[in-house]
Amino acid sequence: MTSLLPAAPQWTLTAVPYGTADARALTRALHQEQLATYSTADDPETTDSAEFDAPHGRFLVARLGDGPALACGGWRTLGPSAAEIKRMYVAPAARGQGLGRRILAALERDLLGRGHTEVLLETGVHNSAALALYAACGYAPVHSYVPGRNPDINRALKKSVLRRARY
């Protein structure tokens, strides 16, 4: 496992394989929240762990000290110039501390050096905190890039990453 810069003095972000117990527990919790809100969601268990392996991706978990992993997020390559942010999640107990913003910034820094010039992501229409975060970080709405998505549920967003992201 590769440790990245601390997200804040007490939080650490660590790159882990997507198939680890911490990553799976957090993505399952995300999945349960999505099901409770929308009655439908992509099953994170069907995602191949290799999609988040370097150099074509990265998956991060955040923890407070030696405590349990409380947040996660990853990126994977979509094409020669595009990457996708996936599985961004902060456990309810850790929300409101800017952790999602720190994970997003770390993911963007990581993918910048890999030749990507745009980042795409999806979130749910009712996820107002995520929508506000992504808008504040420079993401703009686009038409869905995933076939068959329900526009009453999903919001696709895109950001150019030609220069270093600032938060």
Side-chain angles (χ1 to χ4, degrees), residues 1 12 14-30 44-45 59-73 87 89 91:
M1 292 187 255
T12 57
T14 305
V16 301
Y18 182 75
T20 62
D22 285 339
R24 292 299 186 181
L26 289 165
T27 59
R28 277 190 223 107
L30 168 62
E45 301 291 330
F59 199 82
L60 304 176
V61 296
R63 67 181 75 246
L64 184 58
D66 292 332
L70 293 172
C72 65
R87 312 282 189 246
Y89 177 73

Tab-separated table of all heavy atoms in Angstrom, residues 1 12 14-30 44-45 59-73 87 89 91:
chain	number	residue	atom	x	y	z
A	1	MET	N	0.841	-1.180	0.000
A	1	MET	CA	0.000	0.000	0.000
A	1	MET	C	0.883	1.239	0.000
A	1	MET	O	1.874	1.290	0.708
A	1	MET	CB	-0.901	0.015	1.218
A	1	MET	CG	-1.953	-1.072	1.201
A	1	MET	SD	-3.105	-0.889	2.555
A	1	MET	CE	-2.522	-2.212	3.587
A	12	THR	N	-5.348	10.508	7.314
A	12	THR	CA	-4.409	10.041	6.301
A	12	THR	C	-5.187	9.419	5.155
A	12	THR	O	-6.233	8.809	5.357
A	12	THR	CB	-3.410	8.999	6.846
A	12	THR	OG1	-4.138	7.903	7.397
A	12	THR	CG2	-2.491	9.606	7.894
A	14	THR	N	-4.690	6.754	2.070
A	14	THR	CA	-3.817	5.660	1.661
A	14	THR	C	-4.367	5.013	0.406
A	14	THR	O	-5.569	4.718	0.330
A	14	THR	CB	-3.717	4.599	2.782
A	14	THR	OG1	-3.284	5.241	3.989
A	14	THR	CG2	-2.737	3.506	2.418
A	15	ALA	N	-3.490	4.795	-0.561
A	15	ALA	CA	-3.884	4.064	-1.772
A	15	ALA	C	-3.918	2.583	-1.434
A	15	ALA	O	-2.970	2.047	-0.849
A	15	ALA	CB	-2.893	4.336	-2.897
A	16	VAL	N	-5.031	1.940	-1.765
A	16	VAL	CA	-5.214	0.511	-1.490
A	16	VAL	C	-5.813	-0.168	-2.717
A	16	VAL	O	-6.464	0.489	-3.532
A	16	VAL	CB	-6.150	0.275	-0.275
A	16	VAL	CG1	-5.602	0.923	0.998
A	16	VAL	CG2	-7.562	0.771	-0.553
A	17	PRO	N	-5.633	-1.472	-2.842
A	17	PRO	CA	-6.361	-2.183	-3.900
A	17	PRO	C	-7.869	-2.093	-3.638
A	17	PRO	O	-8.321	-2.140	-2.492
A	17	PRO	CB	-5.864	-3.618	-3.776
A	17	PRO	CG	-4.531	-3.505	-3.106
A	17	PRO	CD	-4.676	-2.343	-2.153
A	18	TYR	N	-8.630	-1.985	-4.703
A	18	TYR	CA	-10.090	-1.867	-4.596
A	18	TYR	C	-10.714	-3.072	-3.892
A	18	TYR	O	-11.750	-2.937	-3.254
A	18	TYR	CB	-10.677	-1.686	-5.998
A	18	TYR	CG	-12.179	-1.511	-6.042
A	18	TYR	CD1	-12.767	-0.315	-5.654
A	18	TYR	CD2	-12.999	-2.537	-6.496
A	18	TYR	CE1	-14.138	-0.145	-5.706
A	18	TYR	CE2	-14.377	-2.367	-6.564
A	18	TYR	CZ	-14.942	-1.174	-6.159
A	18	TYR	OH	-16.298	-1.006	-6.217
A	19	GLY	N	-10.077	-4.207	-3.967
A	19	GLY	CA	-10.632	-5.415	-3.370
A	19	GLY	C	-10.348	-5.598	-1.890
A	19	GLY	O	-10.777	-6.594	-1.300
A	20	THR	N	-9.669	-4.655	-1.237
A	20	THR	CA	-9.374	-4.812	0.190
A	20	THR	C	-10.651	-4.739	1.019
A	20	THR	O	-11.670	-4.190	0.582
A	20	THR	CB	-8.397	-3.733	0.687
A	20	THR	OG1	-9.014	-2.457	0.530
A	20	THR	CG2	-7.057	-3.803	-0.037
A	21	ALA	N	-10.564	-5.244	2.232
A	21	ALA	CA	-11.724	-5.242	3.121
A	21	ALA	C	-12.218	-3.825	3.402
A	21	ALA	O	-13.425	-3.580	3.412
A	21	ALA	CB	-11.373	-5.962	4.430
A	22	ASP	N	-11.293	-2.883	3.638
A	22	ASP	CA	-11.705	-1.497	3.901
A	22	ASP	C	-12.444	-0.897	2.707
A	22	ASP	O	-13.495	-0.277	2.863
A	22	ASP	CB	-10.487	-0.625	4.220
A	22	ASP	CG	-9.933	-0.865	5.612
A	22	ASP	OD1	-10.660	-1.387	6.474
A	22	ASP	OD2	-8.753	-0.511	5.829
A	23	ALA	N	-11.878	-1.065	1.514
A	23	ALA	CA	-12.512	-0.516	0.313
A	23	ALA	C	-13.885	-1.145	0.099
A	23	ALA	O	-14.857	-0.441	-0.202
A	23	ALA	CB	-11.618	-0.739	-0.907
A	24	ARG	N	-13.973	-2.442	0.248
A	24	ARG	CA	-15.265	-3.128	0.038
A	24	ARG	C	-16.303	-2.703	1.066
A	24	ARG	O	-17.479	-2.501	0.735
A	24	ARG	CB	-15.083	-4.648	0.052
A	24	ARG	CG	-14.309	-5.187	-1.131
A	24	ARG	CD	-15.006	-4.884	-2.431
A	24	ARG	NE	-14.306	-5.552	-3.528
A	24	ARG	CZ	-14.639	-5.469	-4.769
A	24	ARG	NH1	-15.673	-4.744	-5.133
A	24	ARG	NH2	-13.957	-6.087	-5.693
A	25	ALA	N	-15.897	-2.555	2.324
A	25	ALA	CA	-16.855	-2.147	3.355
A	25	ALA	C	-17.414	-0.753	3.054
A	25	ALA	O	-18.618	-0.520	3.167
A	25	ALA	CB	-16.194	-2.179	4.730
A	26	LEU	N	-16.543	0.163	2.649
A	26	LEU	CA	-17.000	1.519	2.343
A	26	LEU	C	-17.861	1.566	1.093
A	26	LEU	O	-18.887	2.263	1.063
A	26	LEU	CB	-15.796	2.452	2.201
A	26	LEU	CG	-15.067	2.762	3.510
A	26	LEU	CD1	-13.703	3.374	3.234
A	26	LEU	CD2	-15.908	3.669	4.403
A	27	THR	N	-17.489	0.825	0.058
A	27	THR	CA	-18.304	0.848	-1.163
A	27	THR	C	-19.638	0.150	-0.951
A	27	THR	O	-20.631	0.531	-1.560
A	27	THR	CB	-17.543	0.266	-2.372
A	27	THR	OG1	-17.150	-1.079	-2.105
A	27	THR	CG2	-16.324	1.118	-2.719
A	28	ARG	N	-19.674	-0.840	-0.065
A	28	ARG	CA	-20.966	-1.467	0.278
A	28	ARG	C	-21.861	-0.474	1.028
A	28	ARG	O	-23.075	-0.424	0.797
A	28	ARG	CB	-20.757	-2.724	1.107
A	28	ARG	CG	-20.461	-3.940	0.272
A	28	ARG	CD	-20.495	-5.222	1.121
A	28	ARG	NE	-19.367	-6.023	0.732
A	28	ARG	CZ	-18.256	-6.217	1.437
A	28	ARG	NH1	-18.141	-5.710	2.639
A	28	ARG	NH2	-17.267	-6.947	0.973
A	29	ALA	N	-21.270	0.308	1.937
A	29	ALA	CA	-22.049	1.316	2.668
A	29	ALA	C	-22.593	2.370	1.700
A	29	ALA	O	-23.761	2.767	1.806
A	29	ALA	CB	-21.181	1.960	3.747
A	30	LEU	N	-21.771	2.791	0.752
A	30	LEU	CA	-22.228	3.716	-0.290
A	30	LEU	C	-23.395	3.109	-1.061
A	30	LEU	O	-24.420	3.774	-1.278
A	30	LEU	CB	-21.075	4.039	-1.247
A	30	LEU	CG	-21.436	4.756	-2.552
A	30	LEU	CD1	-22.042	6.116	-2.290
A	30	LEU	CD2	-20.214	4.859	-3.452
A	44	PRO	N	-21.186	-2.249	-6.390
A	44	PRO	CA	-19.732	-2.089	-6.415
A	44	PRO	C	-18.986	-3.417	-6.491
A	44	PRO	O	-17.827	-3.457	-6.893
A	44	PRO	CB	-19.422	-1.353	-5.109
A	44	PRO	CG	-20.567	-1.672	-4.213
A	44	PRO	CD	-21.762	-1.825	-5.120
A	45	GLU	N	-19.633	-4.504	-6.131
A	45	GLU	CA	-18.992	-5.825	-6.176
A	45	GLU	C	-18.755	-6.288	-7.614
A	45	GLU	O	-17.934	-7.163	-7.850
A	45	GLU	CB	-19.844	-6.856	-5.439
A	45	GLU	CG	-20.101	-6.518	-3.982
A	45	GLU	CD	-18.862	-6.616	-3.101
A	45	GLU	OE1	-17.966	-7.437	-3.389
A	45	GLU	OE2	-18.791	-5.845	-2.127
A	59	PHE	N	-7.234	3.888	-5.943
A	59	PHE	CA	-8.336	3.902	-4.986
A	59	PHE	C	-7.774	4.298	-3.632
A	59	PHE	O	-6.773	3.745	-3.177
A	59	PHE	CB	-9.035	2.536	-4.902
A	59	PHE	CG	-10.399	2.628	-4.300
A	59	PHE	CD1	-11.483	3.014	-5.075
A	59	PHE	CD2	-10.595	2.396	-2.950
A	59	PHE	CE1	-12.748	3.151	-4.517
A	59	PHE	CE2	-11.855	2.529	-2.390
A	59	PHE	CZ	-12.936	2.907	-3.169
A	60	LEU	N	-8.412	5.274	-2.997
A	60	LEU	CA	-7.952	5.797	-1.721
A	60	LEU	C	-8.953	5.524	-0.615
A	60	LEU	O	-10.164	5.578	-0.846
A	60	LEU	CB	-7.756	7.319	-1.802
A	60	LEU	CG	-6.840	7.869	-2.871
A	60	LEU	CD1	-6.864	9.397	-2.838
A	60	LEU	CD2	-5.436	7.338	-2.703
A	61	VAL	N	-8.446	5.269	0.578
A	61	VAL	CA	-9.278	5.248	1.778
A	61	VAL	C	-8.691	6.247	2.766
A	61	VAL	O	-7.481	6.501	2.773
A	61	VAL	CB	-9.394	3.843	2.426
A	61	VAL	CG1	-10.088	2.873	1.495
A	61	VAL	CG2	-8.057	3.320	2.873
A	62	ALA	N	-9.562	6.825	3.571
A	62	ALA	CA	-9.152	7.795	4.585
A	62	ALA	C	-9.493	7.248	5.952
A	62	ALA	O	-10.537	6.627	6.150
A	62	ALA	CB	-9.868	9.128	4.354
A	63	ARG	N	-8.583	7.489	6.867
A	63	ARG	CA	-8.836	7.089	8.251
A	63	ARG	C	-8.287	8.145	9.187
A	63	ARG	O	-7.374	8.888	8.832
A	63	ARG	CB	-8.280	5.706	8.544
A	63	ARG	CG	-6.812	5.562	8.521
A	63	ARG	CD	-6.320	4.123	8.804
A	63	ARG	NE	-6.529	3.266	7.671
A	63	ARG	CZ	-7.380	2.220	7.629
A	63	ARG	NH1	-8.082	1.887	8.673
A	63	ARG	NH2	-7.518	1.506	6.554
A	64	LEU	N	-8.832	8.178	10.362
A	64	LEU	CA	-8.393	9.070	11.415
A	64	LEU	C	-7.453	8.274	12.304
A	64	LEU	O	-7.885	7.320	12.959
A	64	LEU	CB	-9.596	9.589	12.202
A	64	LEU	CG	-9.337	10.609	13.298
A	64	LEU	CD1	-8.643	11.845	12.734
A	64	LEU	CD2	-10.647	11.008	13.961
A	65	GLY	N	-6.178	8.615	12.279
A	65	GLY	CA	-5.189	7.876	13.069
A	65	GLY	C	-5.191	6.403	12.700
A	65	GLY	O	-5.154	6.042	11.527
A	66	ASP	N	-5.254	5.568	13.727
A	66	ASP	CA	-5.282	4.118	13.519
A	66	ASP	C	-6.704	3.567	13.473
A	66	ASP	O	-6.903	2.350	13.530
A	66	ASP	CB	-4.505	3.401	14.640
A	66	ASP	CG	-3.013	3.679	14.580
A	66	ASP	OD1	-2.510	3.942	13.469
A	66	ASP	OD2	-2.363	3.641	15.637
A	67	GLY	N	-7.676	4.443	13.388
A	67	GLY	CA	-9.073	4.030	13.399
A	67	GLY	C	-9.504	3.390	12.100
A	67	GLY	O	-8.704	3.203	11.169
A	68	PRO	N	-10.773	3.059	12.015
A	68	PRO	CA	-11.298	2.415	10.806
A	68	PRO	C	-11.323	3.370	9.614
A	68	PRO	O	-11.331	4.589	9.787
A	68	PRO	CB	-12.729	2.029	11.213
A	68	PRO	CG	-13.090	3.021	12.268
A	68	PRO	CD	-11.813	3.312	13.021
A	69	ALA	N	-11.322	2.810	8.439
A	69	ALA	CA	-11.458	3.608	7.220
A	69	ALA	C	-12.862	4.204	7.209
A	69	ALA	O	-13.843	3.493	7.409
A	69	ALA	CB	-11.222	2.749	5.993
A	70	LEU	N	-12.948	5.522	6.989
A	70	LEU	CA	-14.227	6.226	7.053
A	70	LEU	C	-14.622	6.928	5.765
A	70	LEU	O	-15.706	7.503	5.678
A	70	LEU	CB	-14.203	7.251	8.193
A	70	LEU	CG	-14.128	6.661	9.603
A	70	LEU	CD1	-13.924	7.760	10.629
A	70	LEU	CD2	-15.386	5.860	9.915
A	71	ALA	N	-13.749	6.891	4.765
A	71	ALA	CA	-14.070	7.552	3.501
A	71	ALA	C	-13.234	6.919	2.393
A	71	ALA	O	-12.197	6.309	2.659
A	71	ALA	CB	-13.793	9.047	3.590
A	72	CYS	N	-13.723	7.085	1.158
A	72	CYS	CA	-12.997	6.509	0.031
A	72	CYS	C	-13.335	7.237	-1.255
A	72	CYS	O	-14.271	8.026	-1.318
A	72	CYS	CB	-13.324	5.024	-0.123
A	72	CYS	SG	-15.043	4.671	-0.571
A	73	GLY	N	-12.574	6.919	-2.265
A	73	GLY	CA	-12.817	7.414	-3.610
A	73	GLY	C	-11.735	6.885	-4.519
A	73	GLY	O	-10.643	6.535	-4.068
A	87	ARG	N	-16.953	5.995	-6.808
A	87	ARG	CA	-17.085	5.485	-5.445
A	87	ARG	C	-16.632	6.468	-4.366
A	87	ARG	O	-16.054	6.083	-3.368
A	87	ARG	CB	-16.345	4.162	-5.271
A	87	ARG	CG	-16.616	3.124	-6.338
A	87	ARG	CD	-17.951	2.422	-6.137
A	87	ARG	NE	-18.039	1.296	-7.069
A	87	ARG	CZ	-18.911	1.239	-8.059
A	87	ARG	NH1	-19.784	2.197	-8.241
A	87	ARG	NH2	-18.944	0.197	-8.862
A	89	TYR	N	-17.151	8.399	-1.213
A	89	TYR	CA	-18.043	8.164	-0.081
A	89	TYR	C	-17.365	8.603	1.208
A	89	TYR	O	-16.177	8.340	1.415
A	89	TYR	CB	-18.395	6.676	0.013
A	89	TYR	CG	-19.260	6.342	1.206
A	89	TYR	CD1	-20.597	6.703	1.242
A	89	TYR	CD2	-18.733	5.674	2.297
A	89	TYR	CE1	-21.386	6.401	2.340
A	89	TYR	CE2	-19.523	5.365	3.400
A	89	TYR	CZ	-20.847	5.740	3.418
A	89	TYR	OH	-21.631	5.446	4.498
A	91	ALA	N	-18.339	8.277	5.314
A	91	ALA	CA	-19.271	7.721	6.300
A	91	ALA	C	-19.937	8.862	7.061
A	91	ALA	O	-19.317	9.910	7.297
A	91	ALA	CB	-18.522	6.803	7.259
